[in-house]
Amino acid sequence: MTHRPSDTSTPGGSVDEGDPPETDGRAAADPATADAERAPRSEGHADAGRSPTPAIDAGRASGDLDATPVEGWSRPVEPDRFLLAVSVDGEVLFAGPSAPDVVGVARDALVESDLLDRVHPSDSEPVADALSAVATSRTVTHRIRRASGGYAWVESVVDEELAPQFGGRIVTVRRADVDRTFPERYRAFLEYGSDLVTVVGGDGLVVYESPSVAEVLGYEQGSTVGRSPLGYVHPDDRERMTERFYRALNEPDATPTLEYRYRTADGDWVWLESHTRSLPAESPVGELLINSRDVSARKARERRLTDRNERLDRFASIVSHDLRNPLSVIRGSIEMARLREETDPLERGERAVDRIDQLVSELLTLARQGTGMDEPAEFALASVARDAWETAAEGDADAELVVTGDAQVYGDRGRMRQALANLFRNATEHATPAASETDSEEPCDAADDLTVLVTATDEGFLVADDGTGIDPDDRESVFESGFTTRADGTGYGLDIVRGVVESHGWRVELRGPADGPISLADGRRLRPPEGACFEVCAPGPSAADPDEPWIDG
């Protein structure tokens, strides 16, 4: 709180403390207009040489007031100041028309409320003293709560005399936060700068935030004044930030650079990079100056680069281990064929070559995962499913694709076709008893024919089969990279499916009978079959952000 020396209001006195000085660059109002936003003084206290202000009907002090001034009363537009008539115990009897511009509260909501309840608790005592005439100074600089919950710095000038029209004192309230914090010559930098400038007091609470808080975080300027910035920090970053914040506050030589997630006005999180610096001990502004900028785009690039490097590391590890054994088999088979002059061992080499070809194809797919949509477009689920079936189950006379419910999809058609092909291949290779016996040459019986179902659900779509199902012990591992139950399997097929789905911002789940029925897009409910059932969940077009992938069943 700050008490300032004040010139008391006396007949013939000069400009009141609450008025803007003539040196602040604003045009001086004419005498009649200068008194307009002030409440009327008691008889005999009109300043000499000024036209007396018309009296206001005392009956209007009840709060049933409109914004229309009495005839002949010209009110200047002063959006940074307003008038109050306040009783000695703090009850607001009258609020001037400019009050909502400063505190964001309607006039009728201010009237009959307690002014001291709107003053910051640390500043309420000097304001109460000024109202009750205990204090000799009539000018008090204090914080007042805005409708948004934050505090604005104001300078209140309390009239000495009680106004008989109201039975209380006239208080002129003027916004003082910008003037109080930074000189006029620096204000343009704060108003037009893209970085967020925050000043923190010795108690760790925000004293000032520059206008760019609206652009960077979406908050109204002044709405965070009087609050701790740590309350907006992401819970996962708060402990780390608390230690470094108070270190910067208590150690003048500490100038840490901080990176953390901060909550915006709409509830999202952005990454901020903040440079802190202690202010001089004699500074009237505060203790700590924080310069922050939004680095969310940079953090996203760093995250993508990290993910890509991890995929490349995994790719190199897989190539060095999983490809080495098939290559050894090929070398041994060729050498044996040469020694024996036989061609039978070459068949093993051919199988090894096929495995290498599949591994390379799937590993290249994994290396490209996580880059988002290459060519987003709108397409039909049924169409891309049938295209994928031709690739995955070509020549398999014992498997049948059934599409019972179509959906419109907005996403990367090529990658979705690849994901569906992997799901179909997983079904045809794992869902029948004969498929699990890799060396069996016996044809499957009709009873072993496989049906693969694709249908839209109310949350996306599902791919299910009526095969042998997935061992309960393996359900938690099916999406893990390299996991397979076949001797000649690669273990990367479902990992690719998960990567494609997650790159669209969706999720894929393995459903089972115990999970309960699934709601289809046409209102029916489907109980998951005994075989495998994979459901892809995605938002609809109305729930997705603009240009983000969706599925409309």
Side-chain angles (χ1 to χ4, degrees), residues 310-324 363 492:
E310 289 177 353
R311 288 194 303 273
L312 291 175
D313 288 343
R314 183 171 58 176
F315 178 82
S317 175
I318 292 170
V319 168
S320 65
H321 293 88
D322 287 20
L323 295 186
R324 185 168 297 165
L363 289 174
Y492 306 122

Side-chain angles (χ1 to χ4, degrees), residues 285-437:
V285 176
E287 298 287 337
L288 191 66
L289 182 70
I290 305 174
N291 189 287
S292 306
R293 64 178 55 186
D294 185 351
V295 294
S296 299
R298 190 192 76 197
K299 297 294 288 188
R301 290 193 300 270
E302 291 175 355
R303 186 165 53 252
R304 288 195 298 268
L305 181 60
T306 299
D307 291 344
R308 180 171 299 178
N309 288 338
E310 289 177 353
R311 288 194 303 273
L312 291 175
D313 288 343
R314 183 171 58 176
F315 178 82
S317 175
I318 292 170
V319 168
S320 65
H321 293 88
D322 287 20
L323 295 186
R324 185 168 297 165
N325 289 336
L327 289 173
S328 298
V329 171
I330 293 174
R331 292 191 189 97
S333 299
I334 294 174
E335 291 174 1
M336 186 175 294
R338 288 173 178 171
L339 290 173
R340 297 182 180 181
E341 297 182 356
E342 298 175 354
T343 58
D344 290 343
L346 293 179
E347 295 179 1
R348 294 178 59 212
E350 287 178 348
R351 289 196 296 270
V353 169
D354 290 341
R355 175 169 167 76
I356 289 176
D357 183 62
Q358 185 179 5
L359 276 171
V360 169
S361 176
E362 294 187 353
L363 289 174
L364 287 175
T365 300
L366 282 173
R368 297 189 184 105
Q369 296 285 17
T371 57
M373 296 185 296
D374 295 331
E375 298 179 358
E378 188 173 340
F379 54 88
L381 174 65
S383 173
V384 73
R386 293 189 178 97
D387 289 348
W389 184 259
E390 292 180 1
T391 302
E394 184 179 3
D396 192 340
D398 300 322
E400 179 187 8
L401 173 68
V402 177
V403 180
T404 61
D406 201 1
Q408 285 300 111
V409 181
Y410 178 71
D412 190 319
R413 191 182 193 281
R415 299 186 72 182
M416 285 304 302
R417 174 178 174 174
Q418 183 178 61
L420 287 167
N422 280 24
L423 287 171
F424 297 155
R425 192 176 293 114
N426 179 77
T428 57
E429 293 179 354
H430 295 268
T432 62
S436 64
E437 300 171 4

